[in-house]
Amino acid sequence: MSSAERLKIFSGTAHRELAEEICRELGQPLGSASVGRFPDGEIDVKINDDIRGADVFIVQPTCPPVNENLVELLLMIDCCLRASSDRITAVIPYFGYARKDRKDEGRVPISAKLCANMISAAGADRVLTIDLHASQIQGFFDIPVDHLYSKPVLCDYFAQLELSRPVVVAPDVGSIRLARAYASSLQASLAIVDKRRHSADATSVENVIGDVAGRDVVMVDDMISTGGSITEAARNVKSKGAERVYLGATHAVLCGSAVEKLAQAPVEEVVVSNTIPVSGEKLIDKIKVRSVAGLLARAIDRIHRSASVSALFSGE
Ligand code: R5P
């Protein structure tokens, strides 16, 4: 079997469009898999291609509906393991359940660790992912993790905007490292929003540290979930005299009324990647989607050839 024949890429139902785009980049057909339902709602999976001895990549972000997508991924991994594939890489562009990465109060789970355990226990040999909510989640896996950054993909967009006196703003302290990396690429200064989280969907802004008055703002975060954090922060910098405000986020979770909040926010554009599908009603004019398919395709190609993936990490 040639090296190209050994490479097999499959998709769950979470984001088939991204898997197809990755395959186009690689000049590789998408493998045939069926994902259906038993009458009681249980997920039924079948790989229709011969994968004995194959180097298998399963593309499945664990985005909403996260429980469904996670179980589907686990079943697909188990399926490939039992079909005697040589190696299984779980390609998880968005790793869900990541926000619960420590016991920040008594009697709570560490959900990110449990999900990592389940993925390894199912039989994955490697994980390929993008912008984990906290990079130490890599260590929750006892298998190799290739952790990519979407920054080069989003930064290219901001770089062609001809921003005036740009400042990159971190909407909370957790995003400072990311914002610093964007600021360095865009040759912009840095400011930080002091955000307080009161509950899963309620935040408030206490202060903005740094100079935003009279400047164009690029505000970056790893994800937009309810949209509360980033729209509240955008209003705040605007009230402090910022000129145009652009938002950037890798993962467009966009749950609840996030799209409405973004539509009403005083921002020019919201630039996100396609680690999670953004289509239909979510795709308002203001939202610009940049594809990570090329980045993932290059990483898959390098992993398959046992070549270094670290050359793709420079975007941190
Ligand atoms: C926080 O730790 C994250 O980086 C995001 O700021 C947050 O998860 C976004 O959530 P939401 O859009 O619901 O405010």
Side-chain angles (χ1 to χ4, degrees):
M1 212 192 283
S2 72
S3 165
E5 282 165 355
R6 278 190 66 244
L7 174 61
K8 298 277 184 192
I9 301 172
F10 293 96
S11 178
T13 59
H15 202 347
R16 193 178 163 93
E17 197 184 325
L18 177 62
E20 284 169 348
E21 207 182 323
I22 292 170
C23 284
R24 276 198 299 279
E25 292 275 344
L26 288 167
Q28 181 81 19
L30 181 63
S32 168
S34 314
V35 182
R37 292 280 170 165
F38 289 109
D40 60 1
E42 289 179 358
I43 298 168
D44 185 21
V45 165
K46 182 168 166 54
I47 300 287
N48 302 313
D49 298 338
D50 175 6
I51 50 167
R52 188 171 291 269
D55 188 17
V56 170
F57 292 78
I58 303 168
V59 180
Q60 178 85 337
T62 52
C63 53
V66 56
N67 300 337
E68 306 286 311
N69 288 333
L70 176 64
V71 173
E72 208 180 272
L73 172 64
L74 298 174
L75 293 172
M76 289 187 82
I77 294 170
D78 185 70
C79 190
C80 294
L81 179 81
R82 292 174 198 284
S84 304
S85 62
D86 236 19
R87 184 172 68 171
I88 303 164
T89 301
V91 182
I92 313 172
Y94 169 72
F95 180 72
Y97 276 117
R99 281 192 281 182
K100 210 76 185 161
D101 61 355
R102 64 187 182 283
K103 276 191 75 171
D104 49 4
E105 56 181 315
R107 300 186 296 280
V108 294
I110 304 182
S111 315
K113 172 65 179 150
L114 175 63
C115 291
N117 285 350
M118 289 194 289
I119 290 163
S120 316
D125 296 295
R126 310 182 61 91
V127 167
L128 173 60
T129 188
I130 302 182
D131 287 334
L132 285 166
H133 180 59
S135 49
Q136 61 269 24
I137 292 172
Q138 287 173 73
F140 290 7
F141 291 90
D142 286 327
I143 52 177
V145 176
D146 288 307
H147 184 202
L148 305 177
Y149 303 93
S150 75
K151 197 205 79 180
V153 175
L154 301 193
C155 232
D156 274 1
Y157 188 87
F158 293 123
Q160 49 85 38
L161 287 175
E162 296 182 7
L163 300 166
S164 154
R165 301 179 66 221
V167 54
V168 176
V169 176
D172 59 27
V173 286
S175 321
I176 294 176
R177 195 164 168 214
L178 183 71
R180 198 185 290 132
Y182 272 78
S184 147
S185 295
L186 294 170
Q187 292 166 324
S189 56
L190 181 68
I192 299 156
V193 170
D194 179 16
K195 173 184 100 175
R196 301 288 151 93
R197 184 170 282 287
H198 307 291
S199 69
D201 58 1
T203 59
S204 64
V205 170
E206 303 286 316
N207 203 0
V208 178
I209 304 156
D211 185 15
V212 295
R215 292 170 178 268
D216 282 341
V217 164
V218 174
M219 190 176 285
V220 290
D221 208 344
D222 64 327
M223 70 171 91
I224 302 176
S225 183
T226 65
S229 308
I230 210 158
T231 55
E232 173 89 13
R235 278 207 176 79
N236 215 279
V237 294
K238 211 55 190 169
S239 74
K240 302 239 170 343
E243 294 292 327
R244 296 177 299 171
V245 178
Y246 291 86
L247 307 184
T250 306
H251 309 297
V253 180
L254 304 182
C255 62
S257 57
V259 175
E260 259 174 79
K261 283 186 196 143
L262 292 171
Q264 287 160 13
V267 303
E268 310 296 317
E269 287 179 337
V270 183
V271 186
V272 296
S273 86
N274 63 344
T275 54
I276 295 174
V278 185
S279 55
E281 289 172 0
K282 289 187 176 177
L283 200 49
I284 56 172
D285 280 355
K286 237 185 210 182
I287 298 184
K288 309 291 170 200
V289 183
R290 309 287 293 163
S291 182
V292 289
L295 182 67
L296 287 169
R298 289 195 293 282
I300 288 172
D301 175 57
R302 283 166 186 254
I303 293 167
H304 178 60
R305 292 187 289 109
S306 297
S308 165
V309 179
S310 59
L312 302 175
F313 288 177
S314 58
E316 189 187 358

